[in-house]
Amino acid sequence: MKISRAYLAGLIDGEGSVSIYRRYSDQTIKSFVFSPVFKIGMTGEISFEIIRFIQGKYGGDLWVRDYNNGYKPCMMLAIKGKKILPILKDIYPFLIVKKPQAQIVYEYFSGLLTQKSWKSPAMPESEYQRRSALYEKMKILNKKGTKESVAETK
């Protein structure tokens, strides 16, 4: 199977997400750790083949969500952390809807002080605040809801 970068970008724009996750950690001095993540989920055998192809090329965690309530099973792929960079590099020129989110992920990585600061428990306060701000920007871009509720956050 061969998929063009433009087609893949279209899939991401329509069926995927680009985000920064924040999770609590008692392993660090700061309360939270942040990690960029790319996800895509689709139903149907042909879609499953496409997702397997994407995973084969870019890696990531693959699972099938079976809802058991009349909905079709959904195959999900998540690519996290620095592993997100190769796929973003390939699709960035073709993204339309998710381009602002991809730009925030690039900003996230371009601002890292050192490789050590990536997971350091002694992360400088300025770096923690920078990541928190990017997380908040991403949260606004990815906000779900009615047009009115989304417009209120801008």
Side-chain angles (χ1 to χ4, degrees):
M1 174 179 286
K2 187 171 180 169
I3 297 174
S4 73
R5 295 180 306 147
Y7 179 79
L8 182 54
L11 284 176
I12 305 311
D13 272 342
E15 303 293 334
S17 68
V18 179
S19 192
I20 296 174
Y21 280 116
R22 179 182 75 173
R23 67 176 172 78
Y24 177 77
S25 174
D26 59 3
Q27 303 294 312
T28 64
I29 294 170
K30 310 296 184 220
S31 300
F32 297 101
V33 293
F34 301 91
S35 179
V37 66
F38 153 85
K39 282 186 179 178
I40 187 168
M42 297 190 299
T43 63
E45 281 305 313
I46 293 174
S47 299
F48 287 8
E49 288 178 34
I50 292 170
I51 289 180
R52 285 186 194 102
F53 172 82
I54 297 168
Q55 186 205 26
K57 184 166 183 171
Y58 298 103
D61 300 318
L62 189 66
W63 70 96
V64 176
R65 200 179 267 175
D66 194 355
Y67 296 100
N68 295 325
N69 60 0
Y71 291 101
K72 295 181 203 173
C74 181
M75 182 171 282
M76 304 289 297
L77 173 64
I79 303 172
K80 302 172 189 167
K82 287 188 174 185
K83 294 177 184 175
I84 197 175
L85 290 172
I87 192 168
L88 283 184
K89 181 182 176 212
D90 282 354
I91 65 173
Y92 185 80
F94 306 102
L95 286 172
I96 297 170
V97 177
K98 303 290 188 324
K99 191 166 255 185
Q101 288 90 332
Q103 184 59 46
I104 290 173
V105 169
Y106 277 130
E107 193 176 337
Y108 179 93
F109 286 115
S110 69
L112 290 179
L113 300 174
T114 64
Q115 179 64 27
K116 186 177 179 185
S117 75
W118 174 241
K119 291 186 178 177
S120 172
M123 180 189 307
E125 183 64 25
S126 60
E127 178 64 13
Y128 183 79
Q129 292 302 323
R130 187 186 73 80
R131 292 180 191 194
S132 293
L134 293 171
Y135 166 79
E136 291 298 330
K137 282 172 70 174
M138 188 73 82
K139 195 167 122 179
I140 290 168
L141 284 174
N142 289 336
K143 184 169 176 68
K144 295 179 183 177
T146 63
K147 282 183 179 180
E148 294 78 23
S149 69
V150 173
E152 290 171 7
T153 63
K154 292 185 179 180

